[in-house]
Amino acid sequence: VNDAATVATLISIALPVAWGDIVLNQISGNQGNLTIGTTTGAAALDGISTMNGRNIEVVTQAGTLTITRTVTANGSGDVTLTGTSGISLNNDIRTTTGNITLTGAVTLGADTI
């Protein structure tokens, strides 16, 4: 694929358990949709997780934020998801005692109801 806008719409990200905050800000421009999903390979990753009350923040400045794998902030960590063109929830968003904030038009998948 040689078109930058098309490449951006194919991005799927997964991050391992983190001991610090996770902040992912997809800047505006030619970016498309962003999916929190699964990676493949020898060290495959699945979703996003933090430990010890650390926070997760994911923002798309353009395109839809799609959640296909679990996003978990353990302990008192907060989860903040912002989808400028919307959020498509197809898996769980979890925190033990923190807050969950969704900003954008939210669409729930069949598995999230």
Side-chain angles (χ1 to χ4, degrees):
V1 178
N2 293 322
D3 179 48
T6 302
V7 170
T9 63
L10 301 176
I11 292 175
S12 180
I13 187 167
L15 299 172
V17 172
W19 294 97
D21 291 343
I22 294 175
V23 178
L24 178 61
N25 184 9
Q26 180 193 32
I27 60 173
S28 61
N30 290 328
Q31 292 76 14
N33 301 326
L34 178 65
T35 298
I36 305 301
T38 303
T39 63
T40 59
L45 301 172
D46 189 52
I48 298 177
S49 298
T50 61
M51 299 294 292
N52 299 328
R54 306 313 297 189
N55 302 314
I56 297 171
E57 179 179 4
V58 179
V59 178
T60 61
Q61 301 293 332
T64 299
L65 174 59
T66 301
I67 309 299
T68 62
R69 304 306 294 168
T70 303
V71 175
T72 304
N74 286 295
S76 61
D78 295 332
V79 177
T80 303
L81 304 177
T82 303
T84 303
S85 296
I87 300 171
S88 177
L89 288 180
N90 298 297
N91 214 308
D92 296 336
I93 308 299
R94 301 178 183 168
T95 181
T96 308
T97 60
N99 298 305
I100 297 173
T101 304
L102 306 175
T103 304
V106 177
T107 303
L108 298 178
D111 293 336
T112 58
I113 297 174

